[in-house]
């Protein structure tokens, strides 16, 4: 099964870094979720992902499979030519960008639109962090926060929350007065640097406010789940912690997209998608960051129970354009392998496999974010 001709809808990715910012980081920093200098400068280069990727990048750039040769070739081509090369090789039709990651260091959405169709994903915590320092009164803050979401701004196809990073996925109901108390508690703290919101009651409250709005418009809400950088507690990143939220009828019409295959909680995520109508999944970040066998197993475990109408492609690409290409290459190849095995297992027919691949790589996202 060859899926190269299916144009991808990348339903979750991030903006590329501005060249002067990217130059501050070693190339290997883009190939790890770690940020300790020892991880970046040594151990990241010893992963299967990094070793495999150098060879694949070198083939596309027509240079030696050595970091120095790749860096020289990248420099000679320039970021615009590189981006066009990788987007074309990935056969991307559209990307949905969460522009809340390193928002002060990234190229704007308008820059990406020179190469491809782009839709925006609005990150909730970034919005809150921008508003809190500007507003002294909680009622005014809440009214402003909600007005920024309702109606959703033009070009925004989803909300995104990193509650998983900040306080974990065990989201609890929060009364208005409790949220207000915690808002004023934050306001009383000295603000010597940009606000980083880590107050659990207020984060949980604001996410649930956003879910009410999302339910009103049937707008998807993306949640980081599973592994990421060391800022999160992986024990609290298991999507099973979302049970009380998923059982709340007021949020029933808000589609929730569990990002990153919830790795290593793929089976748990697949179970949730199989029993809760509002749950959808993607497999970005796990692909291409894992070993080949790990990526294959991730897709296989997701499809053990997940309805094929609920699984979507994404790259979670960020920082450098290579990640868009690498995710597309392996997303297609390993999805094809898993579907071929499913045909042999008699789970599906060949014609069903083709329709499933088309759905996962593009149609499911187009339908959900319509």
């Amino acid at each position: 099964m060859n899926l190269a001709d299916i144009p991808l809808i990348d339903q979750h990715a991030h903006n590329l870094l501005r060249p002067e910012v990217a130059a501050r980081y070693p190339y290997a920093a883009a190939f790890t979720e770690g940020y300790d200098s020892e991880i970046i400068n040594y151990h990241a280069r010893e992963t299967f992902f990094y070793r495999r990727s150098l060879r694949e990048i070198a083939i596309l750039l027509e240079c030696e499979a050595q970091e120095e040769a790749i860096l020289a070739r990248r420099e000679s081509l320039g970021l615009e030519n590189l981006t066009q090369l990788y987007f074309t090789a990935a056969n991307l039709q559209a990307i949905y960008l969460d522009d809340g990651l390193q928002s002060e260091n990234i190229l704007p959405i308008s820059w990406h639109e020179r190469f491809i169709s782009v839709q925006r994903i609005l990150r909730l915590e970034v919005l809150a962090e921008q508003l809190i320092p500007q507003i002294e009164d909680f009622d005014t803050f809440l009214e402003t926060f909600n007005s920024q979401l309702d109606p959703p701004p033009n070009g925004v196809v989803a909300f995104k929350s990193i509650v998983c990073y900040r306080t974990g996925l065990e989201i609890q109901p929060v009364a208005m007065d409790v949220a207000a108390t915690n808002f004023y508690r934050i306001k009383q703290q000295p603000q010597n640097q940009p606000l980083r919101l880590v107050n659990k009651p207020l984060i949980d409250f604001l996410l649930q406010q956003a879910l009410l709005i999302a339910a009103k418009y049937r707008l998807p809400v993306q949640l980081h789940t599973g592994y990421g950088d060391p800022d999160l507690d992986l024990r609290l990143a298991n999507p099973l912690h979302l049970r009380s939220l998923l059982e709340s009828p007021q949020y029933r019409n808000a589609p929730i997209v569990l990002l990153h295959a919830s790795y290593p909680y793929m089976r748990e995520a697949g179970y949730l998608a199989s029993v809760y109508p509002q749950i959808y999944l993607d497999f970005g970040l796990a692909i291409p960051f894992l070993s080949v066998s790990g990526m294959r197993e991730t897709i296989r475990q997701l499809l053990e129970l997940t309805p094929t109408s609920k699984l979507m492609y994404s790259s979670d690409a960020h920082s450098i354009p290579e990640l868009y290409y690498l995710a597309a290459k392996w997303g297609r190849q390993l999805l094809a392998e898993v579907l071929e095995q499913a045909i042999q297992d008699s789970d599906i027919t060949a014609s069903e496999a083709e329709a499933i691949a088309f759905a996962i790589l593009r149609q499911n996202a187009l339908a959900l974010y319509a």
Side-chain angles (χ1 to χ4, degrees):
M1 180 181 292
N2 187 345
L3 307 181
D5 292 335
I6 300 177
L8 295 176
I9 303 297
D10 188 342
Q11 68 96 49
H12 178 82
H14 301 276
N15 306 50
L16 301 181
L17 288 173
R18 301 200 314 268
E20 66 273 20
V21 175
R24 301 176 199 161
Y25 297 97
Y27 190 55
F31 296 85
T32 176
E33 284 293 289
Y35 43 67
D36 185 278
S37 60
E38 185 177 347
I39 292 290
I40 292 172
N41 293 317
Y42 176 68
H43 297 293
R45 292 183 171 91
E46 300 299 323
T47 61
F48 287 0
F49 175 39
Y50 174 83
R51 293 174 182 270
R52 180 185 75 235
S53 296
L54 284 195
R55 296 193 301 273
E56 294 162 352
I57 291 166
I59 290 171
L60 201 59
L61 297 185
E62 299 179 332
C63 66
E64 293 183 21
Q66 301 293 329
E67 187 175 309
E68 295 77 11
I70 289 171
L71 290 174
R73 181 71 171 138
R74 293 176 96 254
E75 181 70 22
S76 68
L77 287 171
L79 182 59
E80 292 190 6
N81 289 330
L82 271 177
T83 301
Q84 187 64 69
L85 174 66
Y86 287 121
F87 281 10
T88 300
N91 191 14
L92 290 168
Q93 178 178 323
I95 54 177
Y96 301 168
L97 290 181
D98 167 12
D99 59 356
L101 179 65
Q102 295 195 56
S103 54
E104 70 284 1
N105 292 326
I106 56 176
L107 291 161
I109 284 178
S110 59
W111 184 90
H112 298 75
E113 288 176 327
R114 292 154 58 182
F115 308 96
I116 195 168
S117 174
V118 179
Q119 301 286 353
R120 182 178 176 229
I121 300 166
L122 190 155
R123 187 180 290 207
L124 300 171
E125 289 78 13
V126 169
L127 174 60
E129 288 166 348
Q130 292 169 344
L131 294 177
I132 290 172
Q134 303 173 17
I135 301 173
E136 297 303 317
D137 174 69
F138 175 75
D139 290 339
T140 304
F141 161 74
L142 181 58
E143 180 182 353
T144 306
F145 179 83
N146 286 338
S147 70
Q148 295 290 308
L149 304 178
D150 187 2
N154 288 336
V156 169
V157 294
F159 300 150
K160 158 79 180 295
S161 174
I162 54 168
V163 62
C164 180
Y165 272 100
R166 298 298 174 81
T167 54
L169 293 176
E170 196 166 357
I171 298 157
Q172 300 295 328
V174 179
M176 184 84 69
D177 60 335
V178 174
T181 297
N182 282 273
F183 171 83
Y184 291 119
R185 186 171 295 154
I186 293 171
K187 296 295 292 183
Q188 293 170 359
Q189 297 171 356
Q191 301 296 328
N192 301 321
Q193 55 189 3
L195 173 65
R196 184 174 184 275
L197 185 60
V198 293
N199 181 286
K200 179 171 175 54
L202 188 56
I203 288 176
D204 286 4
F205 176 81
L206 293 177
L207 172 57
Q208 290 170 89
Q209 290 289 302
L211 283 167
L212 290 173
I213 295 169
K216 176 180 175 182
Y217 294 96
R218 293 187 177 271
L219 192 80
V221 178
Q222 298 184 350
L223 297 181
H224 182 106
T225 60
Y227 86 124
D229 68 49
D231 189 35
L232 62 72
D233 184 338
L234 189 58
R235 295 167 296 184
L236 300 178
N238 187 329
L240 294 182
H241 288 299
L242 295 169
R243 176 176 170 79
S244 62
L245 195 75
L246 300 180
E247 293 287 338
S248 301
Q250 64 267 39
Y251 312 129
R252 168 65 176 75
N253 291 327
I256 294 175
V257 183
L258 307 181
L259 299 174
H260 315 320
S262 299
Y263 179 86
Y265 305 111
M266 290 86 73
R267 287 188 168 113
E268 289 86 340
Y271 161 73
L272 293 176
S274 76
V275 297
Y276 290 103
Q278 68 268 46
I279 290 293
Y280 294 79
L281 311 177
D282 87 348
F283 50 71
L285 187 61
I287 295 170
F289 270 60
L290 302 180
S291 69
V292 172
S293 63
M295 292 188 289
R296 184 184 298 111
E297 187 67 10
T298 292
I299 295 176
R300 191 190 67 76
Q301 287 191 21
L302 287 172
L303 286 174
E304 286 177 355
L305 198 53
T306 304
T308 59
S309 53
K310 287 178 154 231
L311 184 60
M312 295 176 288
Y313 170 83
S314 83
S315 66
D316 195 44
H318 55 280
S319 303
I320 62 173
E322 282 88 333
L323 297 178
Y324 280 99
Y325 166 68
L326 296 169
K329 177 184 187 297
W330 287 105
R332 282 191 180 93
Q333 180 173 326
L334 293 171
L335 177 61
E337 290 183 16
V338 172
L339 293 177
E340 286 171 354
Q341 182 61 53
I343 295 171
Q344 295 178 30
D345 292 342
S346 75
D347 280 327
I348 54 176
T349 66
S351 61
E352 287 172 334
E354 292 178 3
I356 289 167
F358 189 80
I360 290 173
L361 295 178
R362 56 178 289 107
Q363 200 56 43
N364 289 344
L366 290 174
L368 182 63
Y369 295 94

